[in-house]
Amino acid sequence: MARQRSYHNSGNIPQQSGDAIHSEEWGGISSKEHDEAISLEAAYFGGVPEGTSYRFPYAPYPQTGLDRSAGSNPRPVPGPTSPSLMAQRLLREQQDDEYLASLQADREKELKAVKKTETHRSNEGESFRKVLEEEEFERRLAAKETSLPQEPPLDNENAVTLLVRMPNGTRHGRRFLKSDKLQSLFDFIDVGKAVKPGTYRVVRPYPRRAFSVDDNSLTLDELGLTSKQEALFLELI
């Protein structure tokens, strides 16, 4: 087809029709083919090339799972977690929980074992201490029994019979010399093991008078216990 030229009245410039222009720019293709090429280009590159006069709708980017807002370096949109990966995560979390529970149980066992050992040692120490105290107590009682003065005969004019009623109602009696100290009476009571040493005092009911360990250095004569027979009782303190 021969090219059709027209000249503007003012400048004598040849004018080419739109088909002829695009035919030269696009290698002689027709307008329909040109439009299809533009549409395809818009579909891939997102716009219409500059310099074209065609205006037509074009398809958006195909849905490829890429984020076009990221520019020239699109990032893939994360998809849903696969069931197998989720199961592996759950299994790993369960294993971690079981490991921590086992570790805590082991620690508790160790603490119980340490506490049991300490308690056992403490009990052994307490038992050993009690044994030592008991041995010391028996040793002191044996020393008191050994230190008791010899009991005078009944017909000795300086002899005094002391009858002592215990808190449980029983009575213990022994003869002493008026010159013997009150300590001998306390030692005699302690040796009988009816009461614990240091937990009582001796009382004469009439005229009432209480004798304590503070009077142990005094003699029976100095304390007024000079009758042939004196009735006394213990009072717990």
Side-chain angles (χ1 to χ4, degrees), residues 71-93:
S72 60
N73 296 317
R75 293 180 299 176
V77 178
T81 305
S82 64
S84 61
L85 181 59
M86 181 64 70
Q88 292 177 2
R89 290 179 179 176
L90 293 176
L91 178 60
R92 184 166 59 252
E93 291 177 358

Side-chain angles (χ1 to χ4, degrees), residues 107-119:
R107 290 178 178 176
E108 292 179 356
K109 289 181 180 179
E110 291 178 359
L111 291 176
K112 289 181 179 180
V114 171
K115 186 176 181 181
K116 184 177 181 180
T117 301
E118 292 178 350
T119 302

Side-chain angles (χ1 to χ4, degrees), residues 90-205:
L90 293 176
L91 178 60
R92 184 166 59 252
E93 291 177 358
Q94 182 180 0
Q95 291 174 345
D96 292 341
D97 293 340
E98 292 176 353
Y99 172 75
L100 292 176
S102 176
L103 183 62
Q104 182 65 24
D106 292 340
R107 290 178 178 176
E108 292 179 356
K109 289 181 180 179
E110 291 178 359
L111 291 176
K112 289 181 179 180
V114 171
K115 186 176 181 181
K116 184 177 181 180
T117 301
E118 292 178 350
T119 302
H120 181 68
R121 290 178 179 176
S122 178
N123 292 338
E124 286 184 345
E126 182 67 17
S127 299
F128 183 69
R129 184 183 63 83
K130 290 182 178 180
V131 170
L132 292 180
E133 290 179 354
E134 184 67 20
E135 291 178 352
E136 178 64 16
F137 177 72
E138 293 295 334
R139 186 187 65 79
R140 291 181 180 180
L141 290 183
K144 288 183 179 184
E145 188 174 10
T146 302
S147 65
L148 285 175
Q150 186 176 2
E151 187 173 11
L154 185 59
D155 56 355
N156 190 320
E157 294 181 356
N158 292 322
V160 178
T161 300
L162 300 179
L163 296 175
V164 183
R165 180 166 58 86
M166 301 297 168
N168 59 4
T170 61
R171 287 179 172 80
H172 296 266
R174 190 184 189 278
R175 289 188 300 276
F176 295 90
L177 293 175
K178 296 178 182 179
S179 58
D180 290 336
K181 294 183 179 181
L182 185 64
Q183 178 68 56
S184 298
L185 175 61
F186 276 84
D187 290 345
F188 168 71
I189 296 173
D190 292 343
V191 169
K193 298 182 180 180
V195 290
K196 185 177 180 179
T199 63
Y200 64 90
R201 57 190 172 189
V202 178
V203 180
R204 183 177 63 186

